[in-house]
Amino acid sequence: MVAKTFGSAVSGVDANLITIEVNVGQGTSFFMVGLPDSAVKESQQRVESALKYFGFRMPRQKVVINLAPADIRKEGSAYDLPIAMGILQASEQVEFPELDRYVIMGELSLDGNLRPIKGVLPIAIEARKRGFKGFILPLENAKEASIVNNLDIIGVETLQQAADFLMGDLEIEPMVTDTREIFYHSLDENEFDFADVQGQENIKRAMEIAAAGGHNVIMIGPPGAGKTMLAKRLPSILPPLSLQEALETTKIHSVAGKLGKNGSLLAQRPFRSPHHTISDVALVGGGGNPQPGEISLAHNGVLFLDELPEFKRTVLEVMRQPLEERKVTISRAKISVDYPANFMLIASMNPCPCGYYNHPEKECVCGPGIVQRYLNKVSGPLLDRIDLHVEVTPVKFDEMTSTRKAESSKSIRERVIQGREKQKQRFQNNPEVYCNAMMPSHMVKEICQINEAGKALLKTAMERLGLSARAYDRILKVARTIADIADSDTIKVEHLAEAIQYRSLDREGWAG
């Protein structure tokens, strides 16, 4: 007899439907076909042990399991449960009248308990799209899958529960989550707040401009000046995630298995801070079975690279293309996977190896040429993609001990949202562009027009400060964002003057 169950294989951030066909006939062998990897093939031992634990039997006949379509590689241990259900039906030990109406996934332990799996959210979305009645999966993953409505999410703890439910002997209430309520309730829950930061008003201003225009930032300053502290607070002033953005972000974290036990919809913008020893594959994604890297986990959020020159050169260079294209394509001989990677890059670095070059009080002990060599570790093409260069100076004692309350993230965020609204209207006919930082060159000429006084100021600044040609477009984009925050339709001279300040590393001889 042939039984059919349905599972799913995740590719990138999407899922493909997999039909698991089980045939029990004459003979004594066990075959699994359809491009399974080692983890899928090993399911035979787990399934046999789990079936015996609950008093079922593994057929002592010829068992053929086909995972179709046969040209898609099946990976991982999540096929254990659908294979077990298919064997029970095909060997006529039980009758499952609605087996073909459910997508079933789950890893079995030897005693028949179910372990959580990765990529549940894309699978649930695909199941609903294909018109299935429900999705049977481990209970620990049920909350994550219940983000998808119009699909019965049946969380089970053991193989026996799954079998009883499919036979109709056990009623399990589908898990229901009011996604919108959870999402809107936790939108404003931020762990960090700019109100905790004393002083550093110029850096806070730069962060506000970066958040309003989606600009990348690099902070240069001595150790202990507060670079990391400020970077961690940036997500608290970014505009709240839309429901669509939250779903995109949650899908990536689901595929990577980063949502954790009882994970649900992510309502906060992600903040990823990889260590400088990270490999290029871990940063951009990849591996034999391509997985999302840190830049994709930071999608719709912030990627913070602390001590930028300490990262390997190859790691930084592979990030250049995703910064431009807002996605990363991982290609292998038989598969090509796209992961979204629309993130804000925040980097920090010391001005020199000892950290005290240009320090107002402490002496730099680095020899001649060492400072320039240290700065050269960060390549020009990467700096070219960073709009704001901010010099961070240590906080004075008086500012540290001041009792004056600093401005909260909430009030800064209101100005950021106002600036983003202007951009939303400006780019409403360009779905690929939704903030100033994403403007291509031809659009900069059209949108960032300046008057004669502005042109004169920009010409003088570029000559006096020795700014490079690549700084020109960046200054205009940043000036446009500053004008948006000020609710100005035109770029004024003061907006340009402020934007020019944020090009420290472009000045010739900055490291003199």
Side-chain angles (χ1 to χ4, degrees), residues 10-14 116-123 141 144 247-261 266 270 272 281-286 289-299 330 337 339-340:
V10 176
S11 173
V13 289
D14 298 310
I117 59 173
K118 292 200 285 192
V120 161
L121 185 54
I123 295 170
N141 293 122
E144 180 188 332
L247 196 60
E248 276 178 13
T249 309
T250 309
K251 266 170 83 173
I252 297 167
H253 285 250
S254 172
V255 169
K258 302 283 185 189
L259 283 181
K261 191 177 176 182
L266 293 173
R272 306 294 300 182
V281 170
L283 188 74
V284 297
N289 169 24
Q291 288 289 300
E294 287 291 336
I295 63 171
S296 294
L297 292 169
H299 180 60
I330 298 159
V337 174
Y339 285 116

Side-chain angles (χ1 to χ4, degrees), residues 141-440:
N141 293 122
K143 193 173 179 186
E144 180 188 332
S146 66
I147 293 169
V148 179
N149 54 13
N150 301 326
L151 185 74
D152 289 354
I153 303 300
I154 309 297
V156 291
E157 293 182 273
T158 64
L159 179 144
Q160 183 72 61
Q161 278 186 8
D164 288 347
F165 172 78
L166 285 167
M167 284 190 284
D169 295 347
L170 175 67
E171 268 196 39
I172 299 176
E173 276 296 308
M175 182 166 283
V176 179
T177 302
D178 188 340
T179 311
R180 289 177 184 277
E181 191 196 333
I182 290 175
F183 175 67
Y184 291 116
H185 178 68
S186 50
L187 264 183
D188 296 319
E189 289 178 5
N190 284 303
E191 189 182 348
F192 302 106
D193 198 296
F194 271 106
D196 308 330
V197 183
Q198 292 291 356
Q200 302 292 30
E201 298 306 322
N202 60 325
I203 321 297
K204 288 182 196 170
R205 171 67 176 169
M207 288 292 187
E208 182 183 331
I209 294 164
H215 302 287
N216 300 323
V217 183
I218 185 166
M219 294 182 281
I220 313 115
K227 302 187 290 292
T228 306
M229 186 183 187
L230 287 154
K232 280 184 178 174
R233 281 155 180 75
L234 181 63
S236 68
I237 61 169
L238 286 169
L241 282 169
S242 68
L243 205 53
Q244 181 58 37
E245 285 177 328
L247 196 60
E248 276 178 13
T249 309
T250 309
K251 266 170 83 173
I252 297 167
H253 285 250
S254 172
V255 169
K258 302 283 185 189
L259 283 181
K261 191 177 176 182
N262 296 320
S264 189
L265 194 67
L266 293 173
Q268 305 300 321
R269 290 192 180 271
F271 178 86
R272 306 294 300 182
S273 179
H275 193 258
H276 61 255
T277 54
I278 193 170
S279 69
D280 11 1
V281 170
L283 188 74
V284 297
N289 169 24
Q291 288 289 300
E294 287 291 336
I295 63 171
S296 294
L297 292 169
H299 180 60
N300 290 324
V302 175
L303 179 72
F304 176 49
L305 301 183
D306 202 0
E307 303 303 341
L308 190 68
E310 303 300 334
F311 283 79
K312 281 186 293 198
R313 183 90 177 204
T314 54
V315 171
L316 296 179
E317 296 311 298
V318 292
M319 212 167 52
R320 279 157 49 179
Q321 197 177 356
L323 273 169
E324 288 290 316
E325 296 185 358
R326 312 274 166 174
K327 65 171 186 177
V328 60
T329 303
I330 298 159
S331 297
R332 295 288 176 268
K334 292 183 180 176
I335 190 171
S336 182
V337 174
D338 279 352
Y339 285 116
N342 184 10
F343 60 92
M344 270 180 71
L345 174 65
I346 306 297
S348 77
M349 60 183 280
N350 292 334
C352 66
C354 80
Y356 296 110
Y357 179 78
N358 270 355
H359 194 283
E361 292 155 14
K362 296 189 181 179
E363 194 73 29
C364 173
V365 296
C366 299
I370 289 178
V371 177
Q372 192 61 53
R373 205 175 312 134
Y374 185 74
L375 293 173
N376 286 346
K377 284 186 179 182
V378 183
S379 71
L382 182 65
L383 277 180
D384 191 19
R385 289 159 173 80
I386 299 176
D387 297 350
L388 298 166
H389 304 164
V390 189
E391 289 181 62
V392 185
T393 50
V395 183
K396 293 184 174 69
F397 182 78
D398 294 346
E399 286 179 333
M400 260 194 286
T401 54
S402 168
T403 53
R404 186 170 63 86
K405 191 77 176 155
E407 190 176 17
S408 71
S409 290
K410 192 178 177 186
S411 57
I412 299 172
R413 187 191 236 185
E414 283 167 11
R415 294 196 295 273
V416 168
I417 292 169
Q418 174 199 305
R420 284 280 178 115
E421 280 302 315
K422 282 186 80 75
Q423 292 165 55
K424 196 174 173 183
Q425 291 165 13
R426 181 180 302 134
F427 303 125
Q428 58 189 350
N429 298 325
N430 294 282
E432 297 297 310
V433 180
Y434 55 83
C435 61
N436 290 334
M438 298 169 81
M439 282 192 284

Side-chain angles (χ1 to χ4, degrees), residues 42-93:
E42 288 166 358
S43 67
Q44 180 188 353
Q45 313 304 328
R46 292 190 294 270
V47 169
E48 184 170 351
S49 176
L51 288 173
K52 283 180 178 175
Y53 191 86
F54 289 112
F56 298 114
R57 61 181 170 81
M58 189 73 167
R60 291 290 168 245
Q61 294 160 277
K62 183 180 178 183
V63 178
V64 180
I65 295 167
N66 178 38
L67 308 170
D71 60 341
I72 295 176
R73 188 156 180 78
K74 324 302 181 304
E75 292 165 323
S77 52
Y79 298 97
D80 293 359
L81 188 59
I83 287 170
M85 296 296 109
I87 288 171
L88 288 175
Q89 173 97 328
S91 59
E92 299 181 344
Q93 295 180 60

